[in-house]
Amino acid sequence: MTKALGGLRGKFVVLGVSGGIAAYKGIELARLLQAAGAEVQVVLTEGALEFVQPLPFQVLTGRVPISKMFPIEGGAHAGDMPHISLTAKAALVVIAPAAANIIGKFAQGLGDDFLSTLLLSARGPVLVAPAMNTRMWENEAVRANVATLRTRGHIVMEPGSGRLARAEEGEGPGRMPEPAEILEDVLRLIGTPQDLAGLHLLVTAGPTRERWDAVRFLSNRSTGKMGYAVAAAAAARGARVTLVSGPAALPDPEGVETVRVESCEEMRAAVLKAWPGVQAAVMAAAVADYRPADPRNGKQKKGEGGLTLELERTPDILAELGEDKRGRILIGFAAETGELRENARAKLKRKKLNLIVANAVAGADDAMGADESRAILIGPEGEEELPRMAKGELAHRLLDRLAVLWQEKGDTSKTSA
């Protein structure tokens, strides 16, 4: 299940649970979907309520299951019709277990409860996990209903074979597919691609703080949002991620090894320690270019006149990595207040980068600290200008390019071998 961690992050899934002894497996499926990062809304039929209670689903998903058509439940606001709005929002509708009754209603276009009515409003493919007695599964009417759903583009999984609820019936097809199997199909249909599996990625994020006395420091407006988004997105795509973060008021991304540092010197030490063991790095941190040359041990007292603070250059971590790439992929950022393209292209060449992300940090497009950003992805072969988008989406666009670069590196090594 490690592969699934975060693979459904940002996805909304409706899980319909119909009546049958396998309804208890719906609880485990809800847990797996939630653990994979999905937001899950459970819908329980009246038959399901004979076998399971709503509370376990609510505890696992954080959302109250819907079980009645009337009075209207689950609406986000007044006038909302959730059997319509949920399917408009959902990346996927899953029915597990799907008893013969709900399969028949779905195939015949009948809507006499919340789940069957919701299915009538579904626009994309629905994933159906059947569960019933073998004789029911082999019934001609059920087979025809299944064929109808498949013809319409819905995915009806084959039930498992084995001992059924009634021991005297022996073994045969009809068991609901295991929750882990259903999760694999969900990931296949809507999951984040695992195109970075096997890659160890180093990411830096946030500002640094350069101390000049016991209580004061020099820093910048960076919040770390971009680097944290890259780290989380890369982990969701299967990468092993080491995040080196300056001071940031953000929680550690799930599934990511996070190293917290303060100063440029601390960040450099952590980065150089990780660098030999990774295949790529995305250096999104806004590292201070200067630091006080003579920091004070105590607090600087306020005097009558002004105060001159002498600064010295900090180590250039990105340039240092560029001089020691040894086949690794190195991606940097250019935060500029003017001449964005020109400065970014020059930095790309000077720091020996494979790719650079250029964005403005002034005016209407100021990216620093914002939740959204415009950016230009610039490489040796050309550039791609991206519209303003959420930093999570921008992270995936950046990782799309990284995945191609990594694939090219792999193809080159195979050819040379």
Side-chain angles (χ1 to χ4, degrees):
M1 284 303 139
T2 302
K3 176 183 175 184
L5 183 65
L8 296 176
R9 186 173 286 118
K11 306 293 186 179
F12 185 83
V13 176
V14 174
L15 172 59
V17 179
S18 67
I21 190 63
Y24 77 93
K25 291 186 177 181
I27 298 173
E28 173 64 5
L29 179 57
R31 186 192 70 80
L32 292 177
L33 292 169
Q34 189 78 13
E39 184 181 357
V40 183
Q41 174 63 64
V42 174
V43 176
L44 302 171
T45 66
E46 288 187 13
L49 290 171
E50 297 294 332
F51 294 90
V52 293
Q53 293 296 308
L55 184 58
F57 294 100
Q58 182 178 346
V59 170
L60 289 169
T61 68
R63 301 174 68 95
V64 177
I66 301 173
S67 57
K68 298 177 181 178
M69 188 71 193
F70 303 106
I72 295 173
E73 300 176 342
H77 50 77
D80 187 13
M81 301 299 289
H83 65 287
I84 304 295
S85 60
L86 286 177
T87 54
K89 181 181 178 182
L92 185 67
V93 177
V94 181
I95 314 174
N101 184 51
I102 193 66
I103 289 174
K105 289 181 183 180
F106 189 19
Q108 301 305 316
L110 302 177
D112 62 358
D113 64 1
F114 189 91
L115 181 56
S116 58
T117 306
L118 177 142
L119 291 172
L120 291 178
S121 74
R123 290 291 178 261
V126 173
L127 178 61
V128 180
M132 64 194 74
N133 181 274
T134 299
R135 285 185 288 176
M136 296 173 67
W137 174 249
E138 294 175 346
N139 180 274
E140 184 176 339
V142 173
R143 303 306 301 163
N145 287 331
V146 167
T148 296
L149 292 179
R150 287 173 171 165
T151 300
R152 293 173 183 165
H154 301 296
I155 299 93
V156 182
M157 301 177 69
E158 286 295 321
S161 293
R163 184 174 176 177
L164 303 176
R166 291 175 58 84
E168 63 268 25
E169 295 285 349
E171 295 187 358
R175 289 169 59 97
M176 179 180 126
E178 292 303 315
E181 298 176 77
I182 301 171
L183 176 64
E184 286 297 322
D185 269 14
V186 173
L187 287 165
R188 178 177 58 82
L189 291 168
I190 63 169
T192 304
Q194 300 296 290
D195 52 358
L196 297 181
L199 175 73
H200 188 179
L201 176 66
L202 169 65
V203 181
T204 64
T208 62
R209 290 177 179 173
E210 309 302 327
R211 188 181 67 85
W212 71 272
D213 76 358
V215 297
R216 302 180 181 91
F217 56 81
L218 302 181
S219 191
N220 57 58
R221 294 189 292 114
S222 174
T223 59
K225 291 177 181 178
M226 188 69 246
Y228 276 66
V230 170
R237 293 170 75 148
R240 174 187 171 193
V241 182
T242 298
L243 171 65
V244 178
S245 172
L250 297 171
D252 293 355
E254 188 176 1
V256 171
E257 176 193 359
T258 304
V259 180
R260 299 273 183 169
V261 299
E262 284 271 334
S263 67
C264 170
E265 202 61 63
E266 291 177 355
M267 181 168 286
R268 175 178 178 270
V271 165
L272 292 183
K273 181 179 179 181
W275 183 233
V278 304
Q279 291 86 46
V282 176
M283 306 293 284
V287 183
D289 294 323
Y290 294 91
R291 64 190 175 195
D294 184 26
R296 315 292 170 85
N297 289 326
K299 177 183 175 183
Q300 172 68 46
K301 293 295 185 179
K302 180 166 58 176
E304 291 297 327
L307 176 68
T308 300
L309 187 64
E310 183 180 352
L311 303 178
E312 64 181 11
R313 279 295 307 270
T314 57
D316 191 329
I317 304 172
L318 186 59
E320 197 168 350
L321 298 188
E323 293 295 335
D324 186 33
K325 286 175 66 176
R326 301 185 191 181
R328 288 173 286 236
I329 300 166
L330 185 58
I331 299 175
F333 278 69
E336 303 290 344
T337 57
E339 299 181 343
L340 183 59
R341 282 183 170 83
E342 294 78 2
N343 288 332
R345 290 192 195 107
K347 186 174 182 179
L348 174 79
K349 185 175 181 180
R350 187 172 67 254
K351 303 293 177 74
K352 301 180 181 179
L353 307 178
N354 299 89
L355 185 72
I356 194 165
V357 183
N359 47 33
V361 289
D365 289 330
D366 187 358
M368 191 166 282
D371 293 324
E372 297 181 339
S373 175
R374 296 172 63 92
I376 308 172
L377 306 182
I378 302 175
E381 290 81 29
E383 61 185 55
E384 177 185 6
E385 185 166 356
L386 302 177
R388 190 172 186 85
M389 62 181 66
K391 286 184 174 177
E393 184 180 353
L394 176 57
H396 278 290
R397 296 292 290 271
L398 168 59
L399 293 173
D400 289 343
R401 297 289 292 271
L402 172 59
V404 172
L405 289 170
W406 190 46
Q407 181 64 46
E408 291 172 350
K409 289 281 185 184
D411 290 343
T412 301
S413 65
K414 291 173 187 176
T415 303
S416 61

